[in-house]
Amino acid sequence: MDEGDGFAGMETVTIELDAETLDEVDDIAFSDHRDNRAAAIRTLLDEWLKTREE
């Protein structure tokens, strides 16, 4: 299963992460997502979006 399955109509976004954020992504990926970096990035994005709603 590709990460893009089911999301064919969505835009692609490219982001650049600094070293500190990348370390946080790796920590979350290891502890919460069985080393799945994409899932960790989605977690951080979700947290960031929630702070914008407040």
Side-chain angles (χ1 to χ4, degrees):
M1 173 185 242
D2 291 339
E3 290 178 10
D5 287 351
F7 298 106
M10 296 183 76
E11 289 184 42
T12 298
V13 176
T14 302
I15 60 170
E16 188 173 321
L17 303 174
D18 60 27
E20 181 180 320
T21 305
L22 194 54
D23 286 342
E24 186 175 358
V25 166
D26 287 340
D27 289 346
I28 292 169
F30 178 76
S31 65
D32 299 343
H33 300 288
R34 293 187 254 168
D35 283 334
N36 184 335
R37 195 181 252 179
I41 291 170
R42 288 191 296 271
T43 296
L44 288 175
L45 177 59
D46 183 55
E47 290 173 7
W48 178 77
L49 288 170
K50 287 177 182 174
T51 64
R52 293 193 54 173
E53 292 174 359
E54 296 173 354

